[in-house]
């Protein structure tokens, strides 16, 4: 069964309205897959009614990338922004056209920085073709014509015409192999805080998230999966619930999963909640938070670490130090906990398989449903929706595999699978847990002479990309601690790693490994400053002599928070990082009265090089701090008998309005590079807060979350 979605089928087939003009940066010629003789490529159509449709490959999950990507293309196209619309590219359509759209993955704060060249080049090439068409029609020199705001004009005669009128003719011109992009000083859209394109439709509930999908004749599925890592189904009594109203089918989907299909999701969920089932526990049933902590602690003392970065001789440096300080830190498992739980709607027949889902990587999801459906990619499609939160969780598509297997039980019928909040929380792919041991040596003047950082913990790549491991280590675990991202200039430095992999499933979590590594280093730098009798910001300045951009955002955040002039009984903390090619800093102002923490203010400053949309960036900084504060204050997943114990927001809290401080943002682009903005504020939220809290307490707290610590002063 194929459900007809006319607008999306228009995109799949790349069919243009009569006279429409379609173009992309990857300037492949028209092929047998294209259905319109006017089509040149894939990124852009201009219709006779002047509508400019820009196609988006990356996910829109609240970060505003849909608007930013369109903004860059429209800048070079010089169209009328009021006429711009967007739509999602479907991966099946891309694959049918030799993968013309490239990568669909939305992660690592990469949408803008990875596609900026592609989108700008697409717009510039289209503008050049429109100008060529106008010049040919007027029989004038192309250099005498210019485009602006959706109109091409001829300087000599004063003639002008619109993009929509030129589009059909323009589509017949050969795209230039190279076009010159605008000088940034001539930008009129890039750098402006343009409202989000989809904002109105979101607030008026006109957009579709995965959980909103509704198809004719649709049934609903609820699932239960083995609670402990590696567990499986031993037996269950389907007859106990099969006769309930609305229940259509009770069956085992795979080794670890049982599903109930019913007329409504609540019928399915309440039925499966009462299903008698016996789980076959795996060896991981002996795993607990305590046993994992012991495993990581052993790693901190191993004699066989993986060496990451080394400068000078740390052993000699520590031996020559006048004062040596050491500390151990810990970072727990964290859940993604998006407000939209995992869900997908699938339709399967022996001839075709389609799925509607919130995904951060539609291309990878297409591969998954090809595998699950048993059909070739040409007979499969992923219909992309808006995301009610991703944070890295929806980079993984194992749930789509499950949805297709469930749909295969009802051929030709759409089946919407929704995980309950409990299933979502206990079958996540968690931010991995790690620990760190840090040792620093100071010389007689209080300067940092030597620094040794040992990290022990879980590798994401060991599960998802084992071929990218190097011997007994995973360099990805040292993001934030490698040559490209470590902030400080220290004469003697050693960073090493003990990879230890408990059976709990890890996954990318907004900021990934940079989160814990920056927390460790920025917290310990404050400890070293205290030992040296120096102000933490002043202590950082000489260490950042080769990193002026990071120092600039640190000083901007410090100045805004009132670092040099704190109010009575208020305490400040600061932290900085280089993350996803951007320089970011956060500063916090707190007080603690009778063991109660009050976060009065936070400031976040970022230099992302080029700020495509400063308004979007400010909102990203605010949201990123909120996400990071949730982790710092409350976020912790604990393990017992191989299973995650936190099943809902009562046990795994996120910040609420009364927890959230006022936030001030400073967007200070220095130009010349393209950095990410979604993850950097998350990275600095926890260390800035913990540095402020530790200052208020007069003692150091070295593990997340704060809810586990009594906030009273003293040792």
């Amino acid at each position: 069964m194929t459900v007809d979605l006319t607008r999306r089928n228009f995109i799949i087939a790349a069919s243009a309205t009569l006279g429409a003009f379609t173009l992309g940066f990857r300037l492949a010629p028209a092929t047998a897959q294209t259905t319109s003789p006017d089509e040149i490529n894939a990124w852009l159509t201009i219709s006779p009614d002047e509508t400019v449709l820009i196609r988006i490959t990356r996910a829109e999950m609240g970060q505003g990338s849909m608007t930013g990507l369109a903004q860059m293309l429209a800048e070079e196209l010089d169209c009328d922004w009021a006429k711009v619309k967007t739509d999602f590219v479907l991966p099946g359509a891309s694959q049918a056209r030799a993968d013309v759209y490239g990568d669909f993955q939305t992660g690592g704060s990469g949408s803008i920085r990875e596609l900026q060249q592609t989108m700008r080049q697409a717009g510039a090439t289209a503008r050049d073709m429109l100008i060529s068409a106008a010049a040919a029609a007027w029989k004038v020199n192309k250099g005498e014509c210019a485009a602006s705001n959706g109109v091409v004009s001829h300087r000599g005669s004063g003639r002008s015409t619109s993009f929509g009128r030129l589009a059909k003719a323009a589509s017949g011109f050969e795209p230039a192999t190279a076009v010159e992009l605008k000088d940034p000083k001539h930008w009129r859209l890039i750098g402006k805080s343009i409202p989000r394109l989809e904002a109105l439709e979101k607030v008026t509930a006109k957009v579709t998230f995965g959980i909103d999908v509704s198809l004719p004749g649709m049934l609903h599925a609820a699932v239960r999966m083995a609670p402990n890592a590696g567990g499986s189904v031993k037996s269950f009594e389907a007859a106990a619930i099969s006769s309930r109203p609305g229940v259509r089918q009770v069956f085992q989907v795979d080794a670890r999963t049982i599903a109930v299909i019913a007329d409504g999701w609540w019928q399915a969920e309440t039925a499966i909640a009462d299903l008698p089932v016996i789980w076959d526990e795996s060896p991981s049933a002996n795993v607990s938070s305590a046993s994992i902590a012991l495993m990581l602690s052993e790693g901190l003392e191993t004699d066989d670490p993986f060496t990451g970065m080394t400068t000078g001789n740390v052993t000699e440096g520590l031996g020559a130090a006048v004062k040596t300080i050491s500390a151990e830190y810990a970072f727990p498992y964290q859940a993604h906990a998006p407000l939209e739980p995992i869900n997908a709607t699938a339709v399967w027949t022996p001839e075709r398989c389609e799925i509607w889902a919130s995904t951060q990587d539609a291309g990878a999801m297409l591969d998954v449903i090809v595998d699950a459906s048993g059909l070739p990619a040409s007979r499969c499609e992923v219909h992309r929706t808006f995301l009610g939160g991703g944070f890295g969780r929806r980079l993984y598509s194992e749930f789509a595999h499950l949805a297709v297997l469930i749909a295969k039980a009802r051929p030709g019928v759409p089946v919407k699978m929704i995980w309950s909040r409990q299933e979502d929380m206990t079958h996540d792919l968690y931010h991995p847990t790690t620990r760190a041991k840090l040792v620093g040596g100071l010389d007689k003047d209080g300067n940092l002479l030597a620094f040794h950082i040992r990290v022990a913990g879980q590798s994401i790549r060991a599960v998802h990309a084992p071929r990218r491991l190097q011997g007994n280590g995973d360099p990805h675990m040292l993001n934030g601690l490698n040559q490209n991202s470590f902030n400080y200039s220290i004469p003697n430095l050693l960073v090493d790693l003990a990879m230890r992999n408990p059976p709990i499933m890890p996954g990318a979590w907004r900021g990934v490994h940079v989160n814990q590594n920056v927390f460790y280093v920025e917290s310990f730098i404050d400890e070293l400053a205290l030992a040296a009798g120096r102000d933490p910001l002043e202590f950082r300045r000489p260490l950042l002599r080769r990193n002026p951009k990071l120092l600039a955002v640190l000083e901007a955040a410090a100045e805004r928070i009132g670092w040099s002039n704190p109010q009575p009984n208020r305490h400040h903390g600061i932290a900085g990082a280089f993350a996803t090619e951007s320089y970011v800093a956060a500063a916090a102002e707190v007080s603690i009265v009778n063991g109660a923490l009050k976060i009065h203010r936070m400031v976040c400053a970022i230099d992302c090089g080029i700020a495509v949309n400063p308004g979007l960036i400010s909102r990203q900084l605010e949201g990123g701090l909120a996400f990071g504060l949730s982790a710092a204050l409350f976020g912790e997943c604990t393990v017992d008998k191989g299973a995650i114990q936190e099943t809902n927001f009562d046990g795994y809290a996120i910040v609420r309005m009364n927890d959230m401080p006022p936030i001030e943002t400073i967007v200070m682009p220095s130009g010349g590079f393209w950095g990410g903005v979604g993850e950097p504020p998350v990275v600095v939220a926890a260390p800035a807060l913990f540095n402020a809290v530790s200052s208020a307490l007069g003692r150091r707290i070295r593990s997340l979350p704060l809810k586990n610590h009594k906030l009273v002063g003293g040792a």
Side-chain angles (χ1 to χ4, degrees):
M1 171 183 171
T2 300
V3 179
D4 183 31
L5 297 178
T6 304
R7 186 163 179 256
R8 293 191 183 279
N9 285 345
F10 169 84
I11 300 301
I12 296 170
S15 299
T17 304
L18 183 62
F21 162 57
T22 307
L23 169 110
F25 172 46
R26 295 189 179 194
L27 301 174
T31 67
Q33 286 83 15
T34 62
T35 58
S36 167
D38 293 334
E39 181 166 307
I40 301 173
N41 206 297
W43 292 98
L44 164 67
T45 71
I46 304 175
S47 298
D49 66 356
E50 310 298 337
T51 298
V52 177
L53 180 67
I54 298 173
R55 292 168 178 163
I56 305 297
T57 57
R58 301 303 168 95
E60 177 55 67
M61 49 189 168
Q63 80 277 41
S65 61
M66 173 179 282
T67 300
L69 291 168
Q71 205 168 332
M72 291 188 296
L73 189 151
E75 175 65 71
E76 294 292 344
L77 179 61
D78 262 318
C79 65
D80 180 353
W81 180 255
K83 302 293 185 180
V84 168
K85 296 184 182 299
T86 61
D87 208 351
F88 293 130
V89 175
L90 303 182
S94 181
Q95 194 165 106
R97 302 176 64 183
D99 290 320
V100 67
Y101 293 101
D103 188 10
F104 283 76
Q105 185 181 100
T106 308
S109 302
S111 293
I112 298 296
R113 62 192 177 93
E114 292 170 0
L115 282 181
Q116 54 85 17
Q117 183 73 19
T118 296
M119 302 305 282
R120 293 191 298 139
Q121 192 76 35
T125 308
R127 183 185 73 242
D128 181 75
M129 295 170 72
L130 290 161
I131 290 173
S132 296
W138 295 330
K139 296 181 173 54
V140 298
N141 190 300
K142 178 179 170 182
E144 298 173 1
C145 300
S148 179
N149 202 36
V151 173
V152 177
S153 303
H154 179 236
R155 288 191 295 271
S157 65
R159 286 177 290 185
S160 66
T161 190
S162 70
F163 283 6
R165 292 173 180 169
L166 288 168
K168 184 176 181 180
S171 67
F173 280 77
E174 188 72 20
T177 56
V179 291
E180 186 175 350
L181 299 178
K182 288 184 180 180
D183 188 306
K185 67 184 179 183
H186 296 139
W187 285 343
R188 63 183 184 87
L189 291 176
I190 295 177
K192 299 295 189 301
S193 296
I194 295 171
R196 292 170 61 142
L197 289 170
E198 85 286 9
L200 179 61
E201 290 185 327
K202 278 185 174 177
V203 299
T204 55
K206 293 179 181 177
V207 302
T208 299
F209 293 85
I211 205 165
D212 298 326
V213 170
S214 180
L215 302 177
M218 186 172 72
L219 296 177
H220 301 260
V223 300
R224 285 295 181 273
M225 293 173 279
N228 67 306
S232 60
V233 179
K234 187 173 184 179
S235 65
F236 63 99
E237 299 177 25
I241 62 171
S242 295
S243 60
R244 288 195 175 194
V247 171
R248 300 291 190 96
Q249 195 168 347
V250 183
F251 63 105
Q252 184 172 340
V253 184
D254 59 20
R256 69 169 189 158
T257 309
I258 301 167
V260 172
I261 297 177
D263 293 337
W265 183 79
W266 190 241
Q267 291 172 316
E269 174 61 21
T270 53
I272 204 168
D274 291 336
L275 177 67
V277 57
I278 298 175
W279 303 104
D280 191 358
E281 295 182 340
S282 74
S284 71
N286 297 319
V287 174
S288 67
S289 292
S291 68
I292 292 172
L294 286 174
M295 179 191 295
L296 302 190
S297 294
E298 177 276 324
L300 292 179
E301 304 302 326
T302 184
D303 294 327
D304 184 31
F306 171 83
T307 300
M309 179 172 58
T310 181
T311 301
N313 188 310
V314 77
T315 302
E316 292 181 1
L318 290 172
V322 171
K323 183 184 288 188
T324 302
I325 302 94
S326 65
E328 291 189 15
Y329 284 79
F331 203 99
Y333 285 114
Q334 299 268 359
H336 295 86
L339 292 183
E340 180 191 11
I342 290 299
N343 66 88
T345 302
V347 183
W348 181 90
T349 71
E351 291 76 36
R352 185 162 179 80
C353 182
E354 299 180 67
I355 195 166
W356 288 256
S358 304
T359 174
Q360 289 178 243
D361 193 343
M365 184 172 283
L366 180 65
D367 293 338
V368 165
I369 71 164
V370 166
D371 178 69
S373 68
L375 297 169
S378 60
R379 296 187 182 183
C380 297
E381 187 57 278
V382 176
H383 300 278
R384 302 164 57 205
T385 67
F386 287 92
L387 282 64
F391 316 130
R393 174 61 180 96
R394 287 182 162 94
L395 285 169
Y396 306 97
S397 300
E398 87 292 353
F399 65 91
H401 189 277
L402 194 61
V404 171
L405 294 183
I406 293 171
K408 289 174 81 170
R410 313 291 292 190
V413 179
V415 182
K416 179 192 283 188
M417 176 197 71
I418 301 176
W419 292 11
S420 68
R421 177 61 61 190
Q422 288 74 14
E423 290 298 303
D424 185 286
M425 290 287 294
T426 55
H427 294 87
D428 199 354
L429 289 83
Y430 303 90
H431 185 296
T433 182
T434 64
R435 293 193 168 215
K437 183 176 182 179
L438 304 99
V439 183
L442 302 171
D443 66 16
K444 62 181 178 62
D445 297 318
N447 300 309
L448 185 54
L449 180 63
F451 197 8
H452 180 198
I453 307 165
R454 163 75 58 82
V455 175
Q458 193 166 9
S459 164
I460 298 171
R461 284 182 173 173
V463 174
H464 301 288
R467 288 178 294 181
R468 301 182 72 179
L469 300 180
Q470 295 182 12
N472 66 337
D474 174 9
H476 189 241
M477 291 179 64
L478 298 178
N479 281 357
L481 300 176
N482 55 35
Q483 296 285 356
N484 296 325
S485 59
F486 189 70
N487 301 326
Y488 300 113
S489 298
I490 301 168
N492 303 286
L493 174 67
L494 173 62
V495 178
D496 54 25
L497 166 69
M499 185 170 61
R500 297 292 184 271
N501 293 315
I504 304 302
M505 185 66 72
W509 184 97
R510 195 174 178 183
V512 202
H513 293 294
V514 182
N515 286 303
Q516 66 264 24
N517 293 336
V518 169
F519 172 68
Y520 298 150
V521 170
E522 287 299 281
S523 298
F524 192 62
I525 286 290
D526 264 36
E527 292 203 58
L528 291 168
L530 180 64
R534 307 257 293 276
D535 172 82
L537 180 59
E538 185 61 34
F539 185 77
R540 284 170 168 83
R541 284 195 174 103
L543 299 175
L544 292 171
R545 59 187 178 274
R546 298 177 184 172
N547 201 337
K549 292 184 185 295
L550 182 58
L551 181 58
V553 293
L554 277 165
E555 291 184 329
E559 181 180 3
R560 184 72 64 85
I561 205 74
W563 185 268
S564 59
N565 188 29
Q567 296 183 38
N569 301 315
R570 302 272 181 98
H571 296 265
H572 292 151
I574 199 166
F578 179 67
T580 65
E581 308 302 318
S582 287
Y583 304 88
V584 65
E589 180 179 87
V590 308
S591 64
I592 299 176
V593 179
N594 297 325
L597 171 66
K598 173 69 174 178
I599 309 174
H600 295 277
R601 299 167 56 222
M602 288 196 77
V603 175
C604 192
I606 193 168
D607 178 1
C608 55
I610 294 170
V612 173
N613 189 314
L616 290 178
I617 294 170
S618 289
R619 289 186 281 279
Q620 279 277 66
L621 298 182
E622 293 165 357
L625 284 187
F627 193 84
L629 286 176
S630 290
L633 293 168
F634 311 118
E636 179 187 37
C637 292
T638 59
V639 181
D640 185 45
K641 296 181 180 179
I644 295 296
Q645 298 302 292
E646 289 68 31
T647 63
N648 213 318
F649 290 116
D650 57 345
Y652 190 87
I654 60 176
V655 290
R656 301 183 182 186
M657 294 296 289
N658 60 311
D659 303 310
M660 197 65 197
I663 291 176
E664 299 175 48
T665 62
I666 307 171
V667 181
M668 42 190 294
S670 58
F673 64 97
W674 301 78
V677 299
E679 293 175 314
V682 181
V683 172
V684 291
L689 176 63
F690 272 60
N691 285 339
V693 169
S694 296
S695 173
L697 292 175
R699 62 180 177 86
R700 177 58 50 174
I701 294 179
R702 300 190 179 99
S703 65
L704 274 64
L706 273 175
K707 72 173 185 177
N708 292 344
H709 302 275
K710 291 184 178 180
L711 300 185
V712 293

